[in-house]
Amino acid sequence: MSQSLSWKRKDLIDVEPLSRAEIETIFTAATAFKRAMEADNMKQPYLNGRTVVNLFLEPSTRTRLAFEVAASRLSADTITVTGAASSLTKGETLRDTARNMEALKADIIIMRHSASGAPNYLSKVVDIPVINAGDGAHAHPTQALLDSFTLLEKFGSLDGKNITILGDILFSRVARSNIICLQKLGAKVTIAGPSTLVPKAFEATGVRVCHNLKPALEDADAVMLLRIQHERQTATHFPSIGEYTSSFGLNKDRAKWLKPGAIIMHPGPINRGVEIDSELADSSQSVILQQVTNGIVVRMAILHLCSCAYHQQAIELPK
């Protein structure tokens, strides 16, 4: 079925350049794919004959698997290349690696890299679509989009909703992308955690900064928990994990500060007993597993839209 949707971008590097209308276009496509999936219509033909390369040069489970499943559900052939299995370990440049993939007739490259800006650089040296699956502490656009999609399923609209992001904001690409995406959709964002990980400088982005957990939770329609990004920290930003948990971990007592109907989110991986108690992670308030499922359909939408833009094809969606 042909839809009256417009999408002109062959790459998805960040949410910042996206308009609200473009974000809603992604969600329209994701909704169509989710309805088809729920009707047990799992396989779609839109990338049949295409080859999608997952170039994951940083560890990943959920994001890599979700992209693999999304590409497969669109009937693409998928190849996953990790850092240890690539010629980058032999001194080959990222540019040459990508250009060789293009010469091998890859149709889309999905990239995760520890260096901020790497996917943007890649999009300048290859002609085919490049999708950012997370770059350093810079951006994780598909995670932010699936998080907002999950929130919209719950609330219908994010205009005026209060969303609290709790945890390691300073080193989190998920936090940066979510702040931008949520604000574009009309939400009010609070960031909370210790002052060493949630500096006041973030107020310049239009968020509320809280170093006291209770006010950060009391008016929240949703709380999004983030793990401590040990792999990106070059110094100790709090005395111990135990002290972080005692001050900022979400437990049953602190969850009582949340208003009725508030939901709990986490992009994973979860450090149970650190940023969240296991009981809360598995509770009826939690939408953590819904986020994982929505990660498939949102990424299906992005792959499909970017492929259509690159090939200048009309956007078709499942009936």
Side-chain angles (χ1 to χ4, degrees):
M1 180 174 67
S2 182
Q3 304 288 306
S4 56
L5 295 179
S6 176
W7 182 266
K8 304 298 183 185
R9 299 180 187 273
K10 75 172 184 70
D11 306 309
L12 183 69
I13 307 300
D14 199 353
V15 292
E16 191 163 18
L18 300 182
S19 67
R20 180 167 178 161
E22 287 175 309
I23 293 170
E24 290 170 349
T25 293
I26 293 171
F27 293 165
T28 297
T31 298
F33 287 129
K34 188 162 187 180
R35 286 174 179 164
M37 189 168 67
E38 289 171 343
D40 206 27
N41 184 12
M42 296 291 186
K43 205 82 164 177
Q44 304 299 329
Y46 304 117
L47 292 185
N48 187 37
R50 311 283 187 205
T51 299
V52 174
V53 174
N54 288 307
L55 182 59
F56 274 66
L57 305 178
E58 194 181 48
S60 172
T61 300
R62 275 152 301 280
T63 302
R64 178 175 59 81
L65 289 175
F67 267 118
E68 288 176 355
V69 172
S72 177
R73 294 273 172 87
L74 292 169
S75 301
D77 296 319
T78 60
I79 300 169
T80 295
V81 180
T82 63
S86 76
S87 291
L88 291 165
T89 61
K90 301 177 183 179
E92 184 174 71
T93 65
L94 179 59
R95 175 191 179 97
D96 285 338
T97 295
R99 293 294 297 272
N100 275 278
M101 289 178 177
E102 190 173 36
L104 289 166
K105 303 305 178 185
D107 294 288
I108 299 174
I109 297 176
I110 300 162
M111 184 185 191
R112 170 166 285 194
H113 202 287
S114 59
S116 297
N120 184 55
Y121 167 76
L122 200 70
S123 71
K124 309 301 183 187
V125 300
V126 297
D127 184 51
I128 59 176
V130 174
I131 311 298
N132 182 6
D135 62 325
H138 171 239
H140 198 345
T142 63
Q143 182 67 50
L145 289 162
L146 75 88
D147 289 341
S148 288
F149 183 76
T150 303
L151 285 163
L152 283 168
E153 282 189 324
K154 174 67 176 178
F155 298 122
S157 170
L158 295 187
D159 286 312
K161 293 295 182 184
N162 295 310
I163 312 299
T164 291
I165 306 175
L166 169 60
D168 181 352
I169 308 298
L170 184 61
F171 295 95
S172 175
R173 58 193 174 206
V174 171
R176 283 173 169 77
S177 290
N178 261 300
I179 288 167
I180 295 166
C181 192
L182 290 166
Q183 288 176 332
K184 285 178 181 284
L185 294 170
K188 300 174 183 177
V189 180
T190 295
I191 58 175
S195 59
T196 50
L197 293 176
V198 187
K200 281 284 189 181
F202 272 94
E203 289 178 339
T205 66
V207 303
R208 179 177 65 150
V209 173
C210 277
H211 300 137
N212 184 345
L213 197 49
K214 189 172 183 179
L217 295 179
E218 283 180 326
D219 65 349
D221 295 292
V223 56
M224 185 182 301
L225 299 158
L226 301 176
R227 70 180 179 89
I228 306 303
Q229 306 280 323
H230 295 291
E231 70 274 18
R232 299 195 187 104
Q233 296 182 13
T234 57
T236 300
H237 289 77
F238 45 87
S240 69
I241 291 292
E243 291 188 356
Y244 176 86
T245 301
S246 68
S247 297
F248 294 100
L250 187 64
N251 55 34
K252 288 188 291 183
D253 289 335
R254 290 175 180 147
K256 294 175 184 176
W257 297 338
L258 292 167
K259 59 188 181 182
I263 62 173
I264 297 169
M265 309 179 75
H266 198 306
I270 301 171
N271 290 313
R272 291 173 181 262
V274 179
E275 67 265 18
I276 184 171
D277 280 359
S278 279
E279 189 174 337
L280 290 175
D282 299 327
S283 70
S284 59
Q285 283 181 283
S286 169
V287 295
I288 294 170
L289 292 180
Q290 290 95 308
Q291 289 173 265
V292 176
T293 300
N294 286 339
I296 298 171
V297 295
V298 168
R299 290 175 174 116
M300 287 175 74
I302 291 163
L303 289 170
H304 181 39
L305 291 170
C306 290
S307 179
C308 286
Y310 177 67
H311 293 285
Q312 299 183 339
Q313 294 174 335
I315 299 167
E316 296 186 354
L317 296 175
K319 294 182 180 180

